[in-house]
């Protein structure tokens, strides 16, 4: 018994050591918005400076106090660190918004905005976004960008400096059933490769917005939030503010590009070949479903008499791409679209993009696996003695992956229904409850009904609940849920 408690105390020091380092690292993200505030001559620089100093000291103190640990990180520690740090991450992200009186946000509102930013949800409680100081407009986009690929993956690139391997953190953070896939032999090289690819795509998106006629500052912020599929905008009307087909096309195209597995992007850039895209079964399935949704949406808004044929195609392409990838950028009048069209788009937000991208939702690969297994079962019923296997591309899907996919789908559906039920009990109508939960658990950010314009209409209890939904959706449920298992805590 004594040995058991000694062992756990030592492992707790490992957790504190790494969480301290990650807090120390994340504190530096307060410096860019502080510089924007100073450049724009805004008083908000002090809120960012205070947050930086506070968490720089806390993180460095925890890191140095537990520096001589000498214990290897285990899978169990990886899950604990991920959940604890995302909770810390949420609080740190909320601090500048809460400390600044000019923004006038309560703690729960600041927390909701912070969680929404880092989980790349894009839901906001702020009514007039256009009136925010430039520092906060940039900060919100930066939250999206950092949360997009995961601050943990960024930290993995420098974890070798601490003398502790980061593989368990990487596997806990990366989405999808194929967590062990690597781009490079060393994990640090993998993380750096992912971020280089991510930065390159973000730069390309910002330049495309600029060329489409968006001002430079707005182009930078929207480039960061689009590639991260985060959805925060610098305008209350989102992309609809510019009323520009060219800007909507840029947003739609880069939403789809950012929903592609970043492993495929890295290989394509490195080897200068389109082969990773041509032979990617998940990508083909994702694009096929997206095409069907775009065509159905375009027909519905045209049939409703809202736009002519060309405008229907442009608006449908943009909003369908934004919602199926869980980006959350929108046109100003999307809430006025036919209710059945919005319900369709809210439903496909559960589909998501490809595994290994910055999107939310269940992911296309899981739906492809479930579709293929369902078809396999029908074939097996028709030919009971036939020996058949389920394949995705050239790979055979193992029983382990099948069990993982179906159990995740069950849990995702279960928690979605639970959150909808709780909001309904709180007094929200079924449409508002469904749309709000879809926006949060899928990290998509666009509500409907009472949350069409802002999530500030939610009660404090509902905001805390949706913060939990956003974090569970971002971490794909298991890392959070497993901490409540007694079996997990057994030595």
């Amino acid at each position: 018994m004594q040995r058991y408690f000694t062992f756990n105390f030592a492992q707790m020091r490992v957790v504190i050591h790494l969480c301290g380092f990650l807090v120390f690292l994340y504190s530096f993200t307060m410096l860019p918005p502080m510089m924007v505030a100073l450049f724009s001559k805004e008083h908000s620089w002090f809120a960012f400076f205070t947050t930086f100093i506070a968490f720089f000291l806390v993180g460095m103190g925890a890191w140095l106090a537990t520096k001589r640990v000498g214990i290897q990180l285990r899978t169990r520690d990886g899950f604990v660190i991920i959940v604890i740090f995302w909770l810390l991450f949420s609080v740190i992200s909320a601090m500048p918004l809460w400390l600044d009186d000019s923004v006038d946000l309560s703690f729960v509102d600041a927390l909701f905005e912070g969680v929404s930013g880092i989980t790349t949800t894009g839901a906001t409680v702020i009514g007039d976004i256009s009136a925010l100081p430039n520092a906060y407009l940039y900060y919100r986009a930066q939250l999206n960008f950092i949360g997009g690929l995961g601050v943990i993956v960024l930290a993995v690139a420098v974890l070798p400096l601490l003398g502790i391997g980061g593989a368990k953190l990487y596997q806990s953070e990366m989405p999808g059933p194929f967590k062990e896939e690597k781009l490079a032999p060393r994990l640090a090289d993998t993380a750096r490769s992912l971020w280089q690819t991510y930065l390159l795509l973000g730069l390309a998106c910002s330049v495309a917005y600029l060329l489409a006629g968006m001002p430079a500052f707005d182009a930078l912020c929207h480039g960061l939030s689009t590639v991260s599929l985060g959805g925060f905008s610098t305008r209350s009307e989102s992309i609809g503010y510019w009323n520009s087909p060219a800007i909507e096309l840029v947003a739609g195209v880069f939403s789809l590009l950012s929903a592609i597995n970043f492993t495929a992007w890295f290989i394509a850039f490195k080897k200068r070949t389109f082969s990773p895209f041509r032979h990617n079964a998940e990508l083909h399935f994702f694009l096929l479903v997206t095409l069907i949704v775009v065509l159905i949406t375009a027909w519905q808004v045209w049939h409703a008499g809202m736009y002519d044929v060309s405008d229907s195609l442009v608006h449908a392409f943009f909003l369908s791409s934004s919602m199926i990838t869980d980006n959350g950028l929108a046109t100003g009048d999307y809430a006025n679209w036919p209710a059945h069209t919005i319900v369709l788009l809210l439903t496909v937000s559960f589909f998501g993009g490809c595994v290994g991208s910055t999107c939310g939702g269940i992911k296309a690969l899981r739906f492809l696996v479930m579709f293929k297994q369902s078809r396999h079962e029908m074939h097996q019923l028709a030919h009971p003695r036939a020996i058949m296997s389920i394949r995705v591309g050239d790979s055979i899907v193992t029983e382990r992956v099948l069990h993982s996919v179906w159990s995740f789908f069950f849990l995702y559906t279960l928690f979605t229904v639970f959150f909808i039920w709780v909001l309904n009990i709180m007094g929200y109508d079924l449409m508002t409850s469904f749309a709000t939960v879809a926006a949060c658990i899928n990290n998509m950010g666009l509500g409907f009904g009472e949350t069409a314009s802002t999530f500030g209409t939610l009660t404090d209890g509902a905001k805390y609940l949706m913060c939990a939904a956003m974090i569970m959706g971002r971490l794909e449920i298991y890392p959070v849920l497993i901490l409540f298992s007694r079996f997990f805590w057994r030595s």
Side-chain angles (χ1 to χ4, degrees):
M1 183 64 69
Q2 181 65 35
R3 180 182 175 185
Y4 173 80
F5 283 111
T6 302
F7 173 79
N8 277 274
F9 177 73
Q11 291 300 140
M12 185 174 66
R13 291 186 63 192
V14 178
V15 172
I16 294 173
H17 182 64
L18 287 177
C19 282
F21 171 74
L22 293 171
V23 169
F24 165 77
L25 181 68
Y26 186 58
S27 69
F28 285 93
T29 64
M30 299 297 150
L31 297 182
M34 186 182 78
M35 298 306 296
V36 172
L38 290 172
F39 180 79
S40 302
K41 298 180 180 179
E42 297 167 351
H43 295 295
S44 54
W45 70 269
F46 186 72
F48 292 108
F49 179 72
T50 303
T51 305
F52 165 68
I53 291 296
F55 290 100
F56 173 87
L57 295 175
V58 169
M60 184 172 63
W63 177 33
L64 293 177
T66 55
K67 192 170 185 180
R68 298 185 180 277
V69 180
I71 297 177
Q72 183 64 29
L73 190 68
R74 308 170 307 164
T75 300
R76 180 188 300 182
D77 305 320
F79 284 116
V80 174
I81 291 169
I82 291 298
V83 175
I84 290 177
F85 181 68
W86 273 89
L87 294 175
L88 292 173
F89 198 6
S90 303
V91 173
I92 298 169
S93 300
M95 290 308 291
L97 295 163
W98 183 49
L99 291 174
D100 196 335
D101 293 336
S102 65
V103 181
D104 193 27
L105 291 181
S106 65
F107 177 76
V108 63
D109 285 341
L111 182 66
F112 186 96
E113 200 76 9
V115 172
S116 180
I118 62 168
T119 57
T120 70
T121 302
T124 183
V125 295
I126 300 172
D128 189 4
I129 295 169
S130 304
L132 284 176
N134 286 341
Y136 289 110
L137 295 176
Y138 169 78
Y139 177 61
R140 294 165 80 248
Q142 178 183 277
L143 284 177
N144 279 172
F145 193 71
I146 293 174
L149 199 57
V151 75
I152 307 301
V153 179
L154 172 63
V156 164
V158 291
L159 277 178
L161 298 176
L162 306 180
I164 298 178
K168 300 306 179 184
L169 283 180
Y170 176 80
Q171 291 175 13
S172 301
E173 170 70 7
M174 290 303 288
F178 305 127
K179 295 175 181 286
E180 291 78 12
E181 184 176 19
K182 296 181 182 180
L183 309 180
R186 295 178 65 248
L187 192 60
D189 294 335
T190 297
R192 280 192 289 267
S193 299
L194 285 169
W195 272 97
Q196 288 167 4
T197 307
Y198 189 50
L199 287 168
L200 184 61
L201 196 60
L203 177 63
C205 184
S206 296
V207 171
Y209 274 127
L210 189 64
L211 295 175
M214 191 178 285
F217 179 76
D218 297 287
L220 172 63
C221 293
H222 282 88
L224 297 178
S225 60
T226 299
V227 169
S228 63
L229 298 177
F232 271 155
S233 176
T234 57
R235 305 289 176 176
S236 300
E237 303 87 350
S238 191
I239 292 293
Y241 171 83
W242 286 276
N243 193 26
S244 168
I247 289 177
E248 288 187 31
L249 287 174
V250 169
V253 167
F254 275 92
S255 293
L256 296 180
L257 293 179
S258 302
I260 299 174
N261 191 321
F262 273 85
T263 302
W265 274 117
F266 174 77
I267 295 172
F269 285 144
K270 186 175 182 178
K271 297 186 176 180
R272 297 175 184 174
T273 175
F274 286 102
S275 180
F277 305 127
R278 289 199 302 267
H279 305 295
N280 191 321
E282 180 193 21
L283 177 59
H284 298 166
F285 181 63
F286 165 67
L287 292 178
L288 175 62
V289 172
T290 301
L291 176 62
I292 293 171
V293 172
V294 168
L295 292 177
I296 292 174
T297 303
W299 181 81
Q300 288 182 342
V301 294
W302 172 79
H303 187 262
M306 300 190 68
Y307 312 106
D308 59 26
V309 174
S310 60
D311 285 342
S312 295
L313 287 170
V314 171
H315 294 316
F317 170 70
F318 162 61
L319 196 58
S320 298
S321 299
S322 180
M323 292 186 74
I324 199 171
T325 62
D326 299 310
N327 189 344
L329 293 172
T331 53
D333 63 343
Y334 88 92
N336 297 323
W337 284 24
H340 58 274
T341 303
I342 297 298
V343 170
L344 169 67
L345 296 177
L346 288 170
T347 303
V348 299
S349 71
F350 288 89
F351 184 78
C354 300
V355 165
S357 69
T358 59
C359 68
I362 295 174
K363 308 290 190 302
L365 180 59
R366 291 191 177 99
F367 277 102
L368 178 59
V369 168
M370 290 188 291
F371 170 76
K372 285 182 173 288
Q373 190 189 18
S374 299
R375 190 175 63 178
H376 172 269
E377 289 299 318
M378 288 190 293
H379 292 169
Q380 200 74 61
L381 287 172
H383 303 281
R385 297 183 180 179
I387 299 177
M388 294 174 283
S389 59
I390 301 172
R391 291 179 176 269
V392 173
D394 297 328
S395 303
I396 295 178
V397 180
T398 65
E399 287 294 320
R400 174 70 183 87
V401 171
L402 284 175
H403 293 159
S404 172
V405 168
W406 280 105
S407 61
F408 176 79
F409 181 77
F410 167 74
L411 286 174
Y412 204 94
T413 304
L414 179 67
F415 275 96
T416 298
V417 172
F418 171 75
F419 285 131
I420 293 173
W421 175 67
V422 174
L423 282 184
N424 199 228
I425 288 178
M426 289 181 173
Y428 298 98
D429 62 85
L430 192 59
M431 186 64 206
T432 297
S433 300
F434 170 68
T436 302
V437 172
C440 293
I441 199 168
N442 294 329
N443 305 131
M444 181 267 297
L446 291 178
F448 195 60
E450 292 184 36
T451 56
S453 57
T454 175
F455 286 72
T457 56
L458 298 175
T459 63
D460 288 354
K463 289 171 187 172
Y464 282 121
L465 183 71
M466 290 301 99
C467 284
M470 288 187 278
I471 291 176
M472 293 190 74
R474 176 64 180 87
L475 296 181
E476 298 202 331
I477 296 177
Y478 276 113
V480 178
L481 201 61
I482 198 172
L483 298 187
F484 293 93
S485 167
R486 286 188 299 173
F487 182 78
F488 175 78
W489 294 105
R490 293 177 186 172
S491 60

